[in-house]
Amino acid sequence: MIEESVLAAFGRVKCGEPLCRHTTYKIGGPADFLVEVDTQNDLQNLVSLLDEKKIPWMVLGNGSNVLASDAPYHGVIIKLTGEFCAYAFHGEILKPGPDAR
């Protein structure tokens, strides 16, 4: 597995974090690690590292309409925060991401 200090370079890290705290249905067992990532650059670098180390990972947005198992998840859950939460309407077009402003 990977160390918490290595993951902390990419965002806020929680060890053994219950996924029920991050889903709207309030279900889900603990993940080895949950990393809250704020930028596209951090996300790309984190995913590259996890792939290189062959560590399983999944992306979690707001946790809406997600059914997470109560069994432990052995890997890293990546929660999108920061610039991933930005959006703006330009007329009738919704523009997501950091350039939405």
Side-chain angles (χ1 to χ4, degrees), residues 14-35:
K14 297 178 182 180
C15 300
E17 180 70 6
L19 295 179
C20 63
R21 294 180 183 166
H22 302 276
T23 63
T24 56
Y25 291 125
K26 302 298 181 201
I27 62 170
D32 289 344
F33 296 100
L34 182 135
V35 181

Side-chain angles (χ1 to χ4, degrees), residues 6-12 35-38 41-43 45-46 49:
V6 173
L7 295 174
F10 305 101
R12 293 167 301 286
V35 181
E36 295 180 345
V37 177
D38 290 331
N41 188 51
D42 284 343
L43 176 62
N45 292 333
L46 175 58
L49 174 70

Side-chain angles (χ1 to χ4, degrees), residues 3 5 11 13 16-17 24-25 46 50 65 68 79 97-100:
E3 292 185 22
S5 60
V13 179
E17 180 70 6
T24 56
Y25 291 125
L46 175 58
L50 296 174
N65 301 320
K79 185 168 182 180
D99 299 324

Side-chain angles (χ1 to χ4, degrees), residues 30-98:
D32 289 344
F33 296 100
L34 182 135
V35 181
E36 295 180 345
V37 177
D38 290 331
T39 68
Q40 290 179 9
N41 188 51
D42 284 343
L43 176 62
Q44 289 171 329
N45 292 333
L46 175 58
V47 167
S48 293
L49 174 70
L50 296 174
D51 285 347
E52 176 185 315
K53 302 279 187 191
K54 298 187 181 344
I55 296 172
W57 57 273
M58 293 183 69
V59 173
L60 179 67
N62 268 346
S64 300
N65 301 320
V66 174
L67 296 174
S69 172
D70 286 332
Y73 180 76
H74 297 293
V76 176
I77 299 294
I78 303 169
K79 185 168 182 180
L80 303 179
T81 59
E83 70 182 29
F84 295 102
C85 299
Y87 64 90
F89 282 97
H90 296 274
E92 294 182 8
I93 298 172
L94 176 66
K95 187 174 181 183

